Amino acid sequence: MKLIIYTDGASRGNPGHSSFGFTVSDESGKLLYENGAYIGIATNNVAEYIGVLEALKFVKERFARGGSVNIE
């Protein structure tokens, strides 16, 4: 199985109030999961990094090994 992750983070100010969001889709584009959360005061770069980490953590916990993951 091939999974495609789209992720982003944002900060109102830099640093400022920040959040992240991500989606996980299969290779046909079917949305499998989406999530996002407020993370407090952080820089834009930290928010984006946390988004990637949370997406990978989700995939590791929910999907069997042996496939591939693209982060876009």
Side-chain angles (χ1 to χ4, degrees):
M1 172 182 255
K2 178 180 178 181
L3 299 174
I4 300 169
I5 296 172
Y6 290 96
T7 182
D8 200 5
S11 176
R12 180 172 283 172
N14 202 19
H17 293 280
S18 301
S19 61
F20 71 89
F22 70 87
T23 64
V24 179
S25 302
D26 64 15
E27 60 190 317
S28 72
K30 179 182 175 190
L31 180 64
L32 303 174
Y33 185 77
E34 62 185 350
N35 192 17
Y38 174 74
I39 59 172
I41 303 297
T43 66
N44 188 67
N45 289 354
V46 168
E48 290 177 344
Y49 182 67
I50 290 174
V52 171
L53 290 178
E54 290 296 317
L56 291 173
K57 179 178 160 183
F58 172 79
V59 168
K60 181 180 176 186
E61 292 172 356
R62 300 286 174 97
F63 292 93
R65 295 179 187 230
S68 65
V69 175
N70 284 9
I71 301 174
E72 304 195 12

